[in-house]
Amino acid sequence: MASCSRDSTVRLWSLTPLITHLQINILADRSWEEIIGNTDYAIEQGAPPLLCGKVSRDIKQEIEKLSSNPRVKKLRWFSECLSPPGGSDNLWNLVAVIKGQDDSLLPQNYCKGIMHLKHLIKFRTSEAQELTTVKMSKFGGGIGVPTKEERLKEAAEIHLRLGHIQRYCELMVELGEWDKALSIAPGVSVKYWKKLMQRRADQLIQEDKDDVIPYCIAVGDVKKLVHFFMSRGQLKEALLVAQAACEGNMQTLHVSTPKGALDSDEIYKEDFNELLHKVSKELAEWYFQDGRAVLAACCLLAIDNIELAMAYLIRGNELELAVCVGTVLGESAAPATHYALDLLARKCMMIPVCFPSVGYRNLAADLLLMIPDNELHLVKLCAFYPGCMEEINDLHEKCKLPTVEECMQLAETAQADGNIFKTIKYYLLSQEPEKALPIGIDFIKEYISSSNWTLDTIFPVLDLLSYIRTEKLVLHTCTTARNELLILYGYVGALLAIRRQYQNIVPALYEYTSQLLKRREVSVPLKIEHLSEELDAWRACTQFTNQSSEESPYTPPSDSQRMVYATLLKRLKEEPLKGIIGSDYVTGSNLPSHSDIHISCLTGLKIKGPVFFLEDGKSAISLNDALMWAKVNPFSPLGTGIRLNPF
């Protein structure tokens, strides 16, 4: 929503927080009473937000009429109803196409958005035919012939009469009479004509003129034309040309391979298909960095790249939409859907007004129960819940976990058996969760003291420890353990940020860890000098990798820096969800800053786009940085032990 004051200041307001609870209720398949109500009840003090309008009632009636698979329709219709403008309708149309919906059921405005590639040529051809019919009467006019030197013209005419066709063509080119040269060139050979067409195309590309298009198409130089469009940022045009080539609508002039023309054609088709996917991904990335994650996802669904489409929705913090779409798409989107459900549950767990609210607690549990292998997720929820003993045991029962008393006994048994992970898990679920801290921290310190440790070895334990109840973690008796936990998570968070290519926050995480090491009395096998070495090596090697030939030269990484960085990469291993690699960009990331200028406490730069305030109410960081930080380090950059909830 936008508003304007008398001094012409434009303010943008997000109403999303008002409906988040409703969206999650719909995702969790809650009863209609928790979604739709009447205005008399909704305006009562303390009543949760409900949908009270005609549209929501109409949706309910239509869903109740359905005899099969009503959940899919329910997710789609409410998602379209509650999602702000920005491509969600387009996204759902593409989901329907992927799921096999008949083309006749697509809306009329489908062709105006991002279409699935199997429809792109069909719809664009139809559009071209319509335009031809309308504009045929206006067609006409020729290209004016510029005045040239009479002597050269005369020489060209003589060469033509003598049969020196190639010399005539070259003179016409020199005079700028390309059309005459090209019309005669086949008299020399098709090969010569093609070379001349390519020369003309190269000239027009240098002049940055649209006239190059027919020349490239005539000789079948699809790659040159696609790269021309991409260099100008005309990614939709590049996509259309690449798809036309993939469908065989452009004849490529090439010499047959020894294996035969068919094999050669297959090779060309494979090249065009690769080019098509490259253009689609580049267009998606352009939309994404412009803060339009939904349209980025549309570009990728158009080429059936479900994994990357889901990743863009998650990286754009469109979590509710990601879960809806992932649920409908099914198995192909399952890993990303489960990750989005986990983040949504964290959102419910951390909403300030909710804990110890039973409603939000159960909502978080319902979301996690939608994940097939959910035991560890439910353990984290129960470990973090700060209610009274009776409420905690109720939650344990809902999540099919032992009671608090039984967890204490199981922890002692696991400790006696030497099972570290189970010991930590059950202590966190017991009435004395602080007992888990020294056991887990000692385990991690022992591992990172060795030279061959990896991130995957220590992260599960560290992540589990981070879900200790905040009220226990901030106790004075836990000061040393808390400081060591924050330092270890800061360092591991920096490594995770490197693995996920969160370039903006890697230096901040190293600096955060170094400052905690400097200011707090701890005993951890980390040295400030070693952290500085790693950060310098990361900077040198990643800058060297991303350095373009056009940029000014700089000092390449030293041999020692290469060795440090190589060791770092060995520890990191590969990211399980490859699609989520890369920085987050939420809607509005490129909007101008607020009239009250906020400086990021991570980067020291003015914040552009949405701002996220930390727990002191003063310190601020960008929402993008807050999301990335929370995904690799759940604790606040202020070092208080408070968890972040930017989701």
Side-chain angles (χ1 to χ4, degrees):
M1 184 173 71
S3 65
C4 179
S5 56
R6 283 179 294 178
D7 63 355
S8 300
T9 302
V10 177
R11 293 179 175 83
L12 298 177
W13 307 84
S14 174
L15 304 180
T16 303
L18 300 177
I19 60 166
T20 296
H21 178 77
L22 285 168
Q23 287 179 305
I24 298 175
N25 276 344
I26 293 164
L27 283 175
D29 210 15
R30 292 296 185 86
S31 66
W32 287 115
E33 288 74 18
E34 297 182 63
I35 301 169
I36 296 175
N38 56 62
T39 51
D40 292 338
Y41 173 70
I43 61 174
E44 289 181 7
Q45 188 172 2
L50 294 171
L51 297 173
C52 303
K54 181 180 182 298
V55 173
S56 57
R57 291 196 297 273
D58 289 346
I59 291 175
K60 179 187 173 185
Q61 287 176 3
E62 290 299 319
I63 290 169
E64 288 173 342
K65 290 178 187 176
L66 296 173
S67 56
S68 62
N69 207 5
R71 178 162 166 74
V72 171
K73 292 291 186 183
K74 181 179 178 181
L75 288 175
R76 174 171 182 169
W77 289 342
F78 276 113
S79 174
E80 290 177 334
C81 175
L82 298 175
S83 296
S88 59
D89 289 348
N90 196 161
L91 186 75
W92 279 111
N93 287 333
L94 288 165
V95 170
V97 170
I98 290 172
K99 296 297 288 182
Q101 177 181 288
D102 191 277
D103 291 352
S104 62
L105 299 176
L106 291 169
Q108 288 185 344
N109 63 352
Y110 170 67
C111 62
K112 303 297 182 185
I114 296 168
M115 292 180 282
H116 194 279
L117 292 184
K118 70 179 183 180
H119 296 142
L120 192 59
I121 300 303
K122 173 184 171 183
F123 279 90
R124 286 290 182 260
T125 302
S126 175
E127 183 183 349
Q129 289 171 346
E130 289 177 16
L131 289 171
T132 302
T133 304
V134 173
K135 296 184 178 180
M136 185 63 74
S137 60
K138 298 181 182 178
F139 184 82
I143 301 172
V145 179
T147 303
K148 300 297 179 182
E149 296 180 16
E150 293 296 331
R151 187 165 53 86
L152 284 176
K153 276 188 177 182
E154 186 178 349
E157 292 296 332
I158 294 170
H159 278 296
L160 183 61
R161 285 164 175 73
L162 292 172
H164 301 160
I165 300 174
Q166 186 169 345
R167 182 60 185 150
Y168 169 80
C169 292
E170 293 297 331
L171 286 171
M172 287 295 103
V173 168
E174 191 175 339
L175 289 166
E177 299 274 4
W178 281 95
D179 290 344
K180 286 185 177 180
L182 290 167
S183 64
I184 302 299
V188 181
S189 68
V190 173
K191 185 178 179 181
Y192 174 70
W193 170 78
K194 182 182 176 185
K195 284 185 177 179
L196 206 58
M197 290 282 280
Q198 289 173 331
R199 283 166 57 188
R200 177 61 170 156
D202 290 338
Q203 182 201 39
L204 291 169
I205 285 174
Q206 287 180 355
E207 295 173 2
D208 195 30
K209 289 184 177 178
D210 287 333
D211 294 340
V212 70
I213 299 169
Y215 293 95
C216 288
I217 291 174
V219 297
D221 201 341
V222 175
K223 288 185 178 179
K224 183 178 288 183
L225 184 55
V226 168
H227 289 309
F228 169 71
F229 281 133
M230 290 173 71
S231 69
R232 302 174 83 192
Q234 293 176 279
L235 299 176
K236 289 183 180 179
E237 297 296 327
L239 188 65
L240 181 61
V241 170
Q243 178 61 19
C246 282
E247 293 188 14
N249 293 347
M250 295 190 186
Q251 298 300 318
T252 55
L253 296 177
H254 55 82
V255 180
S256 298
T257 62
K259 293 182 181 179
L262 182 61
D263 289 343
S264 181
D265 287 339
E266 288 299 322
I267 291 169
Y268 271 80
K269 189 173 182 181
E270 192 174 314
D271 287 346
F272 294 150
N273 196 49
E274 186 179 330
L275 192 62
L276 175 69
H277 281 71
K278 178 184 176 183
V279 176
S280 296
K281 288 177 181 177
E282 191 158 328
L283 180 59
E285 186 63 21
W286 181 83
Y287 274 126
F288 184 69
Q289 295 203 17
D290 196 39
R292 294 188 276 180
V294 177
L295 289 178
C298 289
C299 293
L300 293 159
L301 283 183
I303 56 171
D304 296 324
N305 193 333
I306 292 171
E307 181 185 16
L308 206 52
M310 290 290 292
Y312 273 130
L313 290 176
I314 292 170
R315 288 170 57 200
N317 204 36
E318 301 285 350
L319 300 179
E320 293 85 357
L321 187 55
V323 172
C324 288
V325 169
T327 303
V328 173
L329 289 172
E331 192 61 34
S332 55
T337 306
H338 299 159
Y339 181 54
L341 282 166
D342 184 33
L343 295 178
L344 262 185
R346 281 177 63 180
K347 181 177 183 175
C348 290
M349 288 166 60
M350 293 294 298
I351 293 174
V353 299
C354 73
F355 270 91
S357 165
V358 175
Y360 272 93
R361 178 201 76 180
N362 289 340
L363 202 51
D366 287 340
L367 292 172
L368 295 175
L369 286 167
M370 293 167 67
I371 303 173
D373 188 13
N374 56 26
E375 184 193 358
L376 191 55
H377 295 289
L378 294 170
V379 166
K380 294 172 183 176
L381 169 65
C382 294
F384 188 72
Y385 184 67
C388 67
M389 196 65 65
E390 184 181 352
E391 289 176 338
I392 292 174
N393 276 328
D394 285 344
L395 182 59
H396 280 221
E397 184 179 355
K398 180 179 177 65
C399 297
K400 297 179 182 177
L401 294 171
T403 63
V404 172
E405 295 79 8
E406 290 170 341
C407 286
M408 176 60 83
Q409 296 171 5
L410 288 168
E412 292 169 351
T413 304
Q415 190 172 12
D417 294 340
N419 190 323
I420 300 294
F421 194 79
K422 277 191 175 181
T423 303
I424 296 168
K425 180 173 78 172
Y426 287 118
Y427 268 134
L428 286 174
L429 293 171
S430 72
Q431 61 266 42
E432 297 181 64
E434 61 273 19
K435 286 188 175 182
L437 285 173
I439 298 169
I441 289 171
D442 288 344
F443 169 82
I444 295 165
K445 289 196 292 188
E446 182 182 348
Y447 254 93
I448 63 175
S449 297
S450 64
S451 58
N452 59 349
W453 65 275
T454 62
L455 193 59
D456 294 339
T457 311
I458 64 170
F459 181 70
V461 173
L462 188 61
D463 186 46
L464 186 58
L465 279 178
S466 72
Y467 282 89
I468 184 172
R469 289 196 282 279
T470 304
E471 62 188 42
K472 296 288 186 179
L473 185 62
V474 298
L475 289 173
H476 179 71
T477 53
C478 294
T479 300
T480 302
R482 178 177 67 251
N483 290 336
E484 292 184 349
L485 177 65
L486 295 180
I487 288 168
L488 290 170
Y489 221 127
Y491 178 58
V492 168
L495 299 184
L496 281 170
I498 291 173
R499 186 163 84 175
R500 292 194 177 185
Q501 295 179 21
Y502 292 169
Q503 316 288 26
N504 289 359
I505 65 168
V506 170
L509 281 159
Y510 270 108
E511 178 63 23
Y512 162 85
T513 308
S514 299
Q515 289 299 323
L516 290 178
L517 276 171
K518 188 184 297 184
R519 296 176 181 178
R520 305 194 181 178
E521 294 183 11
V522 290
S523 175
V524 292
L526 293 173
K527 302 293 181 187
I528 295 175
E529 298 77 14
H530 177 67
L531 296 180
S532 298
E533 281 180 11
E534 283 191 355
L535 180 58
D536 291 342
W538 170 79
R539 277 179 170 146
C541 292
T542 52
Q543 285 176 5
F544 178 72
T545 304
N546 298 327
Q547 182 79 3
S548 70
S549 57
E550 298 175 1
E551 293 177 4
S552 57
Y554 83 113
T555 307
S558 64
D559 290 340
S560 61
Q561 286 176 328
R562 291 179 192 272
M563 287 179 63
V564 170
Y565 188 61
T567 304
L568 205 58
L569 293 180
K570 285 180 183 177
R571 285 187 187 144
L572 299 183
K573 302 293 184 181
E574 286 189 358
E575 177 61 42
L577 277 175
K578 293 181 182 177
I580 62 170
I581 291 174
S583 299
D584 289 354
Y585 287 94
V586 299
T587 301
S589 293
N590 290 333
L591 289 174
S593 60
H594 192 271
S595 54
D596 297 331
I597 295 174
H598 298 290
I599 304 298
S600 171
C601 65
L602 295 184
T603 63
L605 302 174
K606 185 169 74 170
I607 296 172
K608 189 177 180 182
V611 177
F612 181 80
F613 289 96
L614 301 179
E615 64 271 19
D616 64 355
K618 303 175 189 175
S619 305
I621 56 179
S622 74
L623 181 56
N624 290 333
D625 288 349
L627 286 165
M628 291 186 285
W629 184 289
K631 288 174 183 176
V632 298
N633 179 6
F635 297 111
S636 165
L638 298 181
T640 58
I642 304 296
R643 288 178 68 97
L644 286 183
N645 181 28
F647 304 107

